[in-house]
Amino acid sequence: MNTLITNGKIYVEKGLFHEAMLIQDGIIVQTGSNSDFESASFENHIDLGGKTVIPGLNDSHLHLSYVGTTMRSCKLNQARSIEEIIEIGKNHLAANPDTAALYGRGWNQDYFVTGEKRMINRHDLDQISTDIPIVFVRVCGHMATGNSKAIEILGVDENTAVEGGVIQLGDDEHPDGIFCESATALLDTVIPEKTDLDIEKDFLTAADYAISMGLTSVQSCDIQNVDAQRIFNVIRNIYSDSKTRLRFSHQFNFQDISGLEDYINTELNSDGYDEKFLSRGALKLFIDGSLGARTAFMLSDYHDEPGTRGVSVLSQEQLDDILSLASQHNIRVVTHAIGDGAVEMLINAYEKQMNGGENTLRHGIVHCQITSAQQLERIAALKIPVLYQPIFLDYDIQIVEDRVGEHLASTSYAFNTLYQLGTPVSFGTDSPVEDLNPWENLYCAVTRQRLDGTPEGGFCPEERMDISDAIDCYTTGSAFNEFREDFKGRLMAGYAADLAVLDRDIFEIEPAHIKDVRVDMTMINGEVVYTRQ
Ligand SMILES: [Zn+2]
Protein backbone atom coordinates (compact mmCIF):
# COMPACT_ATOMS: atom_id res chain seq x y z
CA MET A 1 0.00 0.00 0.00
CA ASN A 2 1.49 3.34 -1.12
CA THR A 3 0.38 6.70 0.23
CA LEU A 4 1.52 10.03 -1.17
CA ILE A 5 1.30 13.10 1.04
CA THR A 6 1.68 16.50 -0.67
CA ASN A 7 1.34 20.23 0.08
CA GLY A 8 2.55 19.97 3.65
CA LYS A 9 5.07 21.76 5.80
CA ILE A 10 6.75 18.58 6.93
CA TYR A 11 9.31 18.93 9.73
CA VAL A 12 12.41 16.94 8.79
CA GLU A 13 14.96 18.39 11.19
CA LYS A 14 15.81 21.77 12.72
CA GLY A 15 15.48 24.40 9.97
CA LEU A 16 14.53 21.85 7.28
CA PHE A 17 11.02 21.27 5.96
CA HIS A 18 9.76 19.28 2.97
CA GLU A 19 6.45 19.48 1.10
CA ALA A 20 5.79 15.86 0.29
CA MET A 21 6.51 12.28 1.25
CA LEU A 22 5.86 8.82 -0.09
CA ILE A 23 4.96 6.00 2.30
CA GLN A 24 5.10 2.31 1.50
CA ASP A 25 3.83 -0.38 3.87
CA GLY A 26 4.10 1.89 6.89
CA ILE A 27 7.60 3.16 6.15
CA ILE A 28 8.62 6.51 4.66
CA VAL A 29 10.48 5.82 1.41
CA GLN A 30 11.20 9.37 0.28
CA THR A 31 10.58 13.01 1.20
CA GLY A 32 10.99 16.06 -1.01
CA SER A 33 9.13 18.77 -2.87
CA ASN A 34 5.74 18.22 -4.56
CA SER A 35 7.42 18.15 -7.96
CA ASP A 36 9.72 15.27 -6.93
CA PHE A 37 6.67 13.00 -6.87
CA GLU A 38 5.00 13.93 -10.17
CA SER A 39 5.61 10.47 -11.60
CA ALA A 40 5.21 8.52 -8.34
CA SER A 41 2.67 5.70 -8.27
CA PHE A 42 0.39 5.48 -5.25
CA GLU A 43 -3.00 4.14 -4.14
CA ASN A 44 -3.77 6.87 -1.62
CA HIS A 45 -3.26 10.61 -1.84
CA ILE A 46 -3.48 13.05 1.07
CA ASP A 47 -3.36 16.75 0.17
CA LEU A 48 -2.48 18.63 3.36
CA GLY A 49 -3.39 22.08 2.06
CA GLY A 50 -0.26 23.65 3.55
CA LYS A 51 -0.63 22.22 7.06
CA THR A 52 2.29 21.56 9.39
CA VAL A 53 3.32 17.97 10.09
CA ILE A 54 5.60 16.72 12.84
CA PRO A 55 6.71 13.21 13.78
CA GLY A 56 4.26 11.44 16.11
CA LEU A 57 4.99 12.30 19.73
CA ASN A 58 6.34 9.71 22.15
CA ASP A 59 5.61 10.13 25.88
CA SER A 60 8.67 8.74 27.65
CA HIS A 61 6.94 8.05 30.97
CA LEU A 62 3.29 7.74 31.89
CA HIS A 63 0.81 5.17 33.22
CA LEU A 64 -1.61 4.55 30.37
CA SER A 65 -4.25 2.27 31.88
CA TYR A 66 -4.42 4.51 34.97
CA VAL A 67 -5.08 7.45 32.65
CA GLY A 68 -8.18 5.55 31.52
CA THR A 69 -9.16 4.75 35.12
CA THR A 70 -8.92 8.43 35.97
CA MET A 71 -10.99 9.34 32.91
CA ARG A 72 -13.89 7.19 34.11
CA SER A 73 -13.76 8.48 37.68
CA CYS A 74 -15.09 11.82 38.90
CA LYS A 75 -12.62 14.67 38.56
CA LEU A 76 -13.21 17.03 41.46
CA ASN A 77 -10.22 19.38 41.12
CA GLN A 78 -12.29 22.18 39.62
CA ALA A 79 -15.15 21.97 42.14
CA ARG A 80 -15.66 25.30 43.93
CA SER A 81 -18.33 24.25 46.44
CA ILE A 82 -19.81 21.22 48.18
CA GLU A 83 -22.92 21.63 46.01
CA GLU A 84 -20.76 21.41 42.89
CA ILE A 85 -19.16 18.16 44.11
CA ILE A 86 -22.62 16.68 44.63
CA GLU A 87 -23.64 17.85 41.17
CA ILE A 88 -20.55 16.29 39.52
CA GLY A 89 -21.34 12.97 41.22
CA LYS A 90 -25.00 13.03 40.21
CA ASN A 91 -24.16 13.88 36.60
CA HIS A 92 -21.60 11.09 36.45
CA LEU A 93 -24.16 8.53 37.67
CA ALA A 94 -26.78 9.82 35.26
CA ALA A 95 -24.33 9.37 32.37
CA ASN A 96 -23.09 5.95 33.61
CA PRO A 97 -26.11 4.23 35.17
CA ASP A 98 -24.31 0.85 35.47
CA THR A 99 -21.70 2.22 37.87
CA ALA A 100 -21.31 -0.23 40.76
CA ALA A 101 -19.16 2.08 42.87
CA LEU A 102 -18.28 5.73 42.38
CA TYR A 103 -14.71 6.88 42.80
CA GLY A 104 -13.52 10.47 42.57
CA ARG A 105 -10.40 12.45 43.29
CA GLY A 106 -9.15 15.96 43.74
CA TRP A 107 -11.52 17.92 46.01
CA ASN A 108 -10.01 20.69 48.07
CA GLN A 109 -12.08 22.73 50.53
CA ASP A 110 -9.52 25.56 50.31
CA TYR A 111 -10.84 26.22 46.80
CA PHE A 112 -14.51 26.48 47.79
CA VAL A 113 -15.88 29.94 47.05
CA THR A 114 -19.59 29.52 47.78
CA GLY A 115 -21.52 27.78 50.56
CA GLU A 116 -19.78 26.10 53.49
CA LYS A 117 -15.98 25.94 53.28
CA ARG A 118 -15.51 22.67 55.16
CA MET A 119 -14.45 19.14 54.35
CA ILE A 120 -17.07 16.99 52.69
CA ASN A 121 -18.71 14.28 54.82
CA ARG A 122 -20.90 11.23 54.26
CA HIS A 123 -24.13 13.23 54.43
CA ASP A 124 -22.99 15.27 51.44
CA LEU A 125 -22.15 12.15 49.43
CA ASP A 126 -25.44 10.47 50.45
CA GLN A 127 -27.16 13.12 48.36
CA ILE A 128 -25.50 11.52 45.31
CA SER A 129 -26.48 7.95 46.23
CA THR A 130 -27.11 5.73 49.21
CA ASP A 131 -27.38 2.58 47.03
CA ILE A 132 -23.78 2.28 45.83
CA PRO A 133 -20.54 3.00 47.67
CA ILE A 134 -18.91 6.37 46.93
CA VAL A 135 -15.34 7.32 47.75
CA PHE A 136 -14.07 10.85 47.04
CA VAL A 137 -10.37 11.36 47.78
CA ARG A 138 -9.03 14.79 48.70
CA VAL A 139 -6.42 16.30 46.34
CA CYS A 140 -3.55 15.43 48.71
CA GLY A 141 -4.41 11.72 48.78
CA HIS A 142 -4.06 11.68 52.58
CA MET A 143 -7.76 12.07 53.27
CA ALA A 144 -10.89 10.60 51.71
CA THR A 145 -14.63 10.67 52.33
CA GLY A 146 -17.02 7.72 51.98
CA ASN A 147 -20.81 7.77 51.88
CA SER A 148 -23.05 5.82 54.28
CA LYS A 149 -23.10 2.80 51.96
CA ALA A 150 -19.30 2.63 52.00
CA ILE A 151 -19.27 2.80 55.81
CA GLU A 152 -21.95 0.10 56.00
CA ILE A 153 -19.91 -2.21 53.72
CA LEU A 154 -16.76 -1.64 55.79
CA GLY A 155 -18.67 -2.27 59.02
CA VAL A 156 -16.68 0.38 60.89
CA ASP A 157 -18.14 2.31 63.81
CA GLU A 158 -17.06 4.71 66.56
CA ASN A 159 -15.04 1.93 68.22
CA THR A 160 -12.94 1.01 65.19
CA ALA A 161 -9.24 1.84 65.60
CA VAL A 162 -6.81 1.98 62.67
CA GLU A 163 -3.08 2.07 63.26
CA GLY A 164 -1.54 5.19 61.71
CA GLY A 165 -4.93 6.54 60.74
CA VAL A 166 -8.12 8.16 61.94
CA ILE A 167 -11.80 7.46 61.26
CA GLN A 168 -13.28 10.81 62.16
CA LEU A 169 -16.46 11.04 64.26
CA GLY A 170 -19.26 13.55 63.76
CA ASP A 171 -21.26 15.49 66.35
CA ASP A 172 -23.45 12.40 66.79
CA GLU A 173 -20.34 10.40 67.85
CA HIS A 174 -20.64 8.16 64.77
CA PRO A 175 -18.21 8.08 61.81
CA ASP A 176 -18.91 11.11 59.61
CA GLY A 177 -17.31 9.53 56.54
CA ILE A 178 -13.92 11.27 56.72
CA PHE A 179 -10.95 8.89 56.80
CA CYS A 180 -7.38 10.14 57.33
CA GLU A 181 -3.89 8.81 56.55
CA SER A 182 -3.65 4.99 56.64
CA ALA A 183 -7.42 4.67 57.23
CA THR A 184 -8.02 5.91 53.65
CA ALA A 185 -6.77 2.52 52.43
CA LEU A 186 -9.85 0.95 54.06
CA LEU A 187 -12.10 3.01 51.81
CA ASP A 188 -10.26 1.77 48.71
CA THR A 189 -11.45 -1.75 49.53
CA VAL A 190 -15.11 -0.88 48.88
CA ILE A 191 -14.30 -0.14 45.25
CA PRO A 192 -14.53 -3.49 43.40
CA GLU A 193 -11.22 -4.75 42.05
CA LYS A 194 -10.76 -4.08 38.34
CA THR A 195 -11.65 -7.00 36.10
CA ASP A 196 -9.54 -7.86 33.04
CA LEU A 197 -12.20 -6.18 30.95
CA ASP A 198 -12.00 -3.00 33.08
CA ILE A 199 -8.23 -2.88 32.57
CA GLU A 200 -8.63 -3.37 28.83
CA LYS A 201 -11.33 -0.70 28.57
CA ASP A 202 -9.28 1.79 30.58
CA PHE A 203 -6.24 1.06 28.45
CA LEU A 204 -8.09 1.54 25.15
CA THR A 205 -9.93 4.67 26.31
CA ALA A 206 -6.61 6.25 27.20
CA ALA A 207 -4.94 5.01 23.99
CA ASP A 208 -7.66 6.68 21.89
CA TYR A 209 -7.24 9.91 23.84
CA ALA A 210 -3.44 9.77 23.40
CA ILE A 211 -3.77 9.24 19.64
CA SER A 212 -6.20 12.17 19.36
CA MET A 213 -3.52 14.33 20.98
CA GLY A 214 -0.87 13.38 18.40
CA LEU A 215 0.91 10.71 20.43
CA THR A 216 1.94 7.67 18.40
CA SER A 217 4.14 5.95 21.01
CA VAL A 218 4.10 5.71 24.78
CA GLN A 219 6.53 4.30 27.30
CA SER A 220 4.11 3.31 29.99
CA CYS A 221 4.40 1.85 33.46
CA ASP A 222 1.20 -0.08 34.16
CA ILE A 223 2.85 -2.70 36.34
CA GLN A 224 3.25 -1.55 39.93
CA ASN A 225 4.15 -4.63 41.98
CA VAL A 226 0.60 -5.91 42.51
CA ASP A 227 -1.27 -8.03 39.99
CA ALA A 228 1.66 -7.88 37.60
CA GLN A 229 1.06 -11.09 35.67
CA ARG A 230 -2.62 -10.37 35.09
CA ILE A 231 -1.89 -6.91 33.66
CA PHE A 232 0.95 -8.24 31.48
CA ASN A 233 -1.53 -10.78 30.06
CA VAL A 234 -4.28 -8.23 29.40
CA ILE A 235 -1.90 -5.90 27.55
CA ARG A 236 -0.36 -8.72 25.49
CA ASN A 237 -3.89 -9.78 24.45
CA ILE A 238 -4.80 -6.22 23.45
CA TYR A 239 -1.86 -6.24 21.04
CA SER A 240 -2.23 -9.78 19.75
CA ASP A 241 -5.82 -8.81 18.81
CA SER A 242 -4.57 -5.49 17.30
CA LYS A 243 -7.07 -3.49 19.34
CA THR A 244 -4.99 -0.31 19.17
CA ARG A 245 -2.19 1.01 16.97
CA LEU A 246 -0.58 3.11 19.69
CA ARG A 247 2.98 1.85 19.98
CA PHE A 248 3.61 0.73 23.54
CA SER A 249 6.86 0.16 25.40
CA HIS A 250 6.18 -1.68 28.62
CA GLN A 251 7.89 -0.16 31.66
CA PHE A 252 7.39 -2.15 34.85
CA ASN A 253 7.99 -1.39 38.50
CA PHE A 254 9.41 -3.90 40.98
CA GLN A 255 11.24 -2.47 43.96
CA ASP A 256 12.95 -5.67 45.05
CA ILE A 257 15.12 -8.45 43.70
CA SER A 258 12.42 -11.12 43.96
CA GLY A 259 9.92 -9.18 41.81
CA LEU A 260 12.57 -8.64 39.17
CA GLU A 261 13.61 -12.31 39.32
CA ASP A 262 9.98 -13.33 38.69
CA TYR A 263 9.90 -11.06 35.66
CA ILE A 264 13.14 -12.51 34.32
CA ASN A 265 11.82 -16.05 34.74
CA THR A 266 8.42 -15.42 33.18
CA GLU A 267 7.53 -12.30 31.19
CA LEU A 268 11.02 -11.80 29.77
CA ASN A 269 10.64 -15.11 27.92
CA SER A 270 6.98 -14.85 26.96
CA ASP A 271 5.70 -14.53 23.40
CA GLY A 272 3.52 -11.70 22.19
CA TYR A 273 6.07 -8.90 21.89
CA ASP A 274 6.33 -7.99 18.22
CA GLU A 275 8.78 -5.14 18.98
CA LYS A 276 6.78 -3.07 16.52
CA PHE A 277 3.61 -2.12 18.39
CA LEU A 278 4.35 -3.82 21.71
CA SER A 279 7.87 -3.95 23.07
CA ARG A 280 9.56 -4.74 26.34
CA GLY A 281 10.62 -1.57 28.11
CA ALA A 282 12.59 -0.52 31.13
CA LEU A 283 12.48 -1.61 34.75
CA LYS A 284 11.11 1.38 36.64
CA LEU A 285 12.46 2.05 40.13
CA PHE A 286 11.83 4.88 42.50
CA ILE A 287 14.15 6.27 45.13
CA ASP A 288 12.27 9.16 46.67
CA GLY A 289 8.94 11.02 46.94
CA SER A 290 7.81 14.45 45.82
CA LEU A 291 8.84 18.06 46.27
CA GLY A 292 5.32 19.18 47.20
CA ALA A 293 5.14 16.78 50.17
CA ARG A 294 8.84 17.39 51.07
CA THR A 295 9.51 13.67 50.63
CA ALA A 296 11.99 14.19 47.77
CA PHE A 297 15.39 13.16 49.15
CA MET A 298 17.74 16.15 49.49
CA LEU A 299 21.47 16.46 50.16
CA SER A 300 20.77 19.31 52.60
CA ASP A 301 17.78 20.47 54.62
CA TYR A 302 14.69 21.86 52.98
CA HIS A 303 14.95 25.64 52.80
CA ASP A 304 11.42 25.98 54.22
CA GLU A 305 11.71 23.19 56.80
CA PRO A 306 15.10 22.94 58.50
CA GLY A 307 15.76 19.47 59.90
CA THR A 308 13.93 17.72 57.04
CA ARG A 309 15.69 16.13 54.06
CA GLY A 310 12.97 13.86 52.71
CA VAL A 311 13.24 10.10 52.41
CA SER A 312 15.01 7.56 50.26
CA VAL A 313 13.10 4.31 49.98
CA LEU A 314 16.09 2.32 48.68
CA SER A 315 19.55 2.23 50.25
CA GLN A 316 22.58 2.65 47.99
CA GLU A 317 23.28 -1.05 48.44
CA GLN A 318 19.74 -2.17 47.53
CA LEU A 319 19.87 0.09 44.50
CA ASP A 320 23.23 -1.33 43.40
CA ASP A 321 21.99 -4.91 43.81
CA ILE A 322 18.85 -4.51 41.74
CA LEU A 323 20.73 -2.56 39.06
CA SER A 324 23.36 -5.27 38.82
CA LEU A 325 20.72 -7.96 38.32
CA ALA A 326 18.94 -5.91 35.68
CA SER A 327 22.18 -5.09 33.87
CA GLN A 328 23.23 -8.76 33.82
CA HIS A 329 20.02 -9.49 31.91
CA ASN A 330 20.41 -6.48 29.61
CA ILE A 331 17.35 -4.84 31.13
CA ARG A 332 17.32 -1.08 30.88
CA VAL A 333 16.42 0.78 34.09
CA VAL A 334 14.74 4.15 34.57
CA THR A 335 14.54 5.52 38.09
CA HIS A 336 12.35 8.15 39.72
CA ALA A 337 14.66 10.64 41.43
CA ILE A 338 13.41 14.13 42.33
CA GLY A 339 15.65 15.53 45.08
CA ASP A 340 19.37 16.18 44.56
CA GLY A 341 20.14 13.48 47.16
CA ALA A 342 18.28 10.87 45.12
CA VAL A 343 19.90 12.12 41.90
CA GLU A 344 23.33 11.82 43.54
CA MET A 345 22.66 8.22 44.65
CA LEU A 346 21.51 7.36 41.19
CA ILE A 347 24.45 8.87 39.29
CA ASN A 348 26.79 6.97 41.63
CA ALA A 349 24.87 3.74 41.11
CA TYR A 350 24.69 4.06 37.32
CA GLU A 351 28.38 4.89 37.13
CA LYS A 352 29.15 1.44 38.57
CA GLN A 353 27.07 -0.21 35.84
CA MET A 354 28.89 1.41 32.92
CA ASN A 355 30.67 -0.80 30.42
CA GLY A 356 34.11 0.66 29.69
CA GLY A 357 32.78 4.01 30.87
CA GLU A 358 29.77 3.84 28.58
CA ASN A 359 26.11 3.75 29.51
CA THR A 360 25.42 1.04 26.93
CA LEU A 361 22.04 0.04 28.44
CA ARG A 362 20.91 3.69 28.49
CA HIS A 363 19.82 3.59 32.14
CA GLY A 364 17.91 6.82 32.71
CA ILE A 365 16.64 9.27 35.35
CA VAL A 366 12.92 10.01 35.54
CA HIS A 367 11.98 13.53 36.81
CA CYS A 368 15.53 14.64 37.76
CA GLN A 369 14.09 17.86 39.14
CA ILE A 370 16.47 19.23 41.73
CA THR A 371 20.06 19.25 40.47
CA SER A 372 23.29 21.13 41.18
CA ALA A 373 25.49 22.44 38.37
CA GLN A 374 28.05 19.76 39.20
CA GLN A 375 25.44 16.99 38.93
CA LEU A 376 24.32 18.30 35.54
CA GLU A 377 27.91 18.02 34.32
CA ARG A 378 28.21 14.44 35.56
CA ILE A 379 24.88 13.43 33.98
CA ALA A 380 26.02 14.90 30.67
CA ALA A 381 29.49 13.34 30.85
CA LEU A 382 28.04 9.89 31.56
CA LYS A 383 25.35 10.36 28.88
CA ILE A 384 22.56 9.38 31.26
CA PRO A 385 19.19 9.85 29.54
CA VAL A 386 16.89 12.22 31.42
CA LEU A 387 13.11 11.75 31.22
CA TYR A 388 11.66 15.19 32.00
CA GLN A 389 8.05 16.32 32.53
CA PRO A 390 8.05 20.05 31.64
CA ILE A 391 4.37 20.30 32.64
CA PHE A 392 5.43 19.76 36.28
CA LEU A 393 6.59 23.38 36.17
CA ASP A 394 2.94 24.45 36.12
CA TYR A 395 2.71 23.57 39.80
CA ASP A 396 6.35 23.47 40.92
CA ILE A 397 7.27 27.03 39.88
CA GLN A 398 5.19 28.16 42.87
CA ILE A 399 7.08 26.09 45.43
CA VAL A 400 10.57 25.28 44.19
CA GLU A 401 12.37 28.34 45.55
CA ASP A 402 10.64 27.94 48.92
CA ARG A 403 11.64 24.29 49.08
CA VAL A 404 15.26 24.41 47.95
CA GLY A 405 16.28 28.10 47.92
CA GLU A 406 16.99 30.36 44.98
CA HIS A 407 20.51 29.09 44.29
CA LEU A 408 19.70 25.40 43.88
CA ALA A 409 16.43 26.23 42.09
CA SER A 410 18.42 28.08 39.42
CA THR A 411 20.13 24.85 38.28
CA SER A 412 17.01 22.66 38.59
CA TYR A 413 14.58 21.53 35.85
CA ALA A 414 17.55 22.24 33.58
CA PHE A 415 16.05 21.00 30.31
CA ASN A 416 17.99 23.28 28.01
CA THR A 417 21.34 23.06 29.79
CA LEU A 418 21.35 19.26 29.60
CA TYR A 419 20.10 19.24 26.03
CA GLN A 420 22.80 21.68 24.92
CA LEU A 421 25.41 19.53 26.69
CA GLY A 422 24.39 16.61 24.46
CA THR A 423 22.49 14.64 27.10
CA PRO A 424 19.73 12.42 25.70
CA VAL A 425 16.68 14.36 26.93
CA SER A 426 13.14 13.07 26.42
CA PHE A 427 9.72 14.39 27.43
CA GLY A 428 6.70 12.81 29.08
CA THR A 429 3.87 13.75 31.41
CA ASP A 430 3.71 11.02 34.09
CA SER A 431 -0.03 11.05 33.35
CA PRO A 432 -2.40 10.68 35.22
CA VAL A 433 -0.26 12.78 37.58
CA GLU A 434 -0.68 15.48 34.89
CA ASP A 435 -2.85 15.33 31.79
CA LEU A 436 -1.09 13.59 28.88
CA ASN A 437 -1.75 16.68 26.69
CA PRO A 438 1.60 17.15 24.90
CA TRP A 439 0.85 20.72 23.78
CA GLU A 440 0.70 22.05 27.32
CA ASN A 441 3.87 20.09 28.00
CA LEU A 442 5.69 21.63 25.02
CA TYR A 443 4.38 25.07 26.03
CA CYS A 444 6.02 24.71 29.47
CA ALA A 445 9.32 23.60 27.90
CA VAL A 446 9.38 26.59 25.55
CA THR A 447 8.00 29.33 27.83
CA ARG A 448 8.97 28.08 31.31
CA GLN A 449 5.67 29.57 32.42
CA ARG A 450 2.62 28.22 34.18
CA LEU A 451 -0.46 27.65 32.05
CA ASP A 452 -1.81 31.02 33.25
CA GLY A 453 1.20 32.78 31.70
CA THR A 454 3.10 33.54 34.92
CA PRO A 455 5.84 34.35 35.74
CA GLU A 456 6.46 36.93 33.05
CA GLY A 457 9.52 35.98 30.99
CA GLY A 458 9.51 32.47 32.47
CA PHE A 459 11.15 30.70 35.41
CA CYS A 460 14.95 30.56 34.82
CA PRO A 461 14.47 31.87 31.27
CA GLU A 462 17.88 30.61 30.11
CA GLU A 463 16.33 27.14 30.28
CA ARG A 464 13.61 28.02 27.72
CA MET A 465 13.88 25.65 24.78
CA ASP A 466 13.61 26.31 21.10
CA ILE A 467 10.40 24.69 19.76
CA SER A 468 12.34 22.47 17.31
CA ASP A 469 14.59 21.21 20.12
CA ALA A 470 11.56 20.60 22.33
CA ILE A 471 9.81 18.58 19.60
CA ASP A 472 13.03 16.62 19.05
CA CYS A 473 13.09 15.71 22.75
CA TYR A 474 9.48 14.46 22.46
CA THR A 475 10.17 12.38 19.34
CA THR A 476 13.69 11.25 18.54
CA GLY A 477 14.77 11.90 22.15
CA SER A 478 12.09 9.55 23.46
CA ALA A 479 12.89 6.98 20.75
CA PHE A 480 16.49 6.91 21.99
CA ASN A 481 15.23 5.43 25.27
CA GLU A 482 13.80 2.52 23.30
CA PHE A 483 16.91 2.04 21.11
CA ARG A 484 14.63 3.00 18.20
CA GLU A 485 16.10 6.38 17.19
CA ASP A 486 16.88 4.94 13.74
CA PHE A 487 13.25 3.90 13.22
CA LYS A 488 10.99 6.38 15.04
CA GLY A 489 10.86 10.10 15.71
CA ARG A 490 11.93 11.54 12.33
CA LEU A 491 10.09 12.05 9.06
CA MET A 492 12.84 10.79 6.80
CA ALA A 493 13.36 7.87 4.44
CA GLY A 494 13.58 4.58 6.33
CA TYR A 495 11.58 5.77 9.33
CA ALA A 496 8.12 4.66 10.46
CA ALA A 497 5.29 6.76 9.02
CA ASP A 498 4.11 7.96 12.45
CA LEU A 499 3.03 11.59 12.31
CA ALA A 500 0.67 14.31 13.51
CA VAL A 501 -0.93 16.95 11.25
CA LEU A 502 -1.48 20.17 13.20
CA ASP A 503 -4.16 22.83 12.95
CA ARG A 504 -1.56 25.62 12.98
CA ASP A 505 2.13 26.16 12.35
CA ILE A 506 3.72 25.39 15.70
CA PHE A 507 7.08 26.68 14.43
CA GLU A 508 5.74 30.18 13.76
CA ILE A 509 3.05 30.88 16.37
CA GLU A 510 3.62 32.84 19.58
CA PRO A 511 4.97 30.45 22.24
CA ALA A 512 2.00 31.38 24.45
CA HIS A 513 -0.28 29.66 21.91
CA ILE A 514 1.58 26.34 21.74
CA LYS A 515 -0.72 24.99 24.46
CA ASP A 516 -3.72 25.59 22.15
CA VAL A 517 -2.45 23.50 19.23
CA ARG A 518 -4.92 20.83 18.12
CA VAL A 519 -4.29 17.75 16.03
CA ASP A 520 -6.21 17.41 12.77
CA MET A 521 -4.93 13.95 11.91
CA THR A 522 -2.73 11.26 13.42
CA MET A 523 -1.05 8.52 11.40
CA ILE A 524 0.66 5.42 12.76
CA ASN A 525 2.50 2.94 10.57
CA GLY A 526 1.12 4.69 7.48
CA GLU A 527 -2.51 4.29 8.62
CA VAL A 528 -4.74 7.23 9.51
CA VAL A 529 -5.80 6.40 13.07
CA TYR A 530 -7.44 9.70 14.00
CA THR A 531 -9.16 12.53 12.15
CA ARG A 532 -10.55 15.52 14.01
CA GLN A 533 -14.30 15.93 13.49
ZN1 LIG B 1 5.21 7.76 37.09
Side-chain angles (χ1 to χ4, degrees), residues 1 23 27 62 171 213 228 254 305 325 345 349 403 497 499:
M1 174 82 143
I23 298 162
I27 305 292
L62 48 49
D171 294 338
M213 282 286 171
F254 296 110
E305 198 172 309
L325 179 63
M345 278 175 71
R403 291 288 187 278
L499 54 86

Side-chain angles (χ1 to χ4, degrees), residues 258-279:
S258 71
L260 180 57
E261 276 172 343
D262 281 349
Y263 174 84
I264 289 165
N265 294 327
T266 57
E267 198 60 23
L268 190 58
N269 302 306
S270 74
D271 295 330
Y273 291 86
D274 61 8
E275 302 303 328
K276 192 173 172 188
F277 295 105
L278 178 63
S279 47

Side-chain angles (χ1 to χ4, degrees), residues 58-62 217-221 249 251 478-479 481-482:
N58 182 341
D59 192 305
S60 65
H61 174 69
L62 48 49
S217 293
V218 293
Q219 298 167 46
S220 177
C221 183
S249 171
Q251 295 175 349
S478 293
N481 293 335
E482 304 177 75

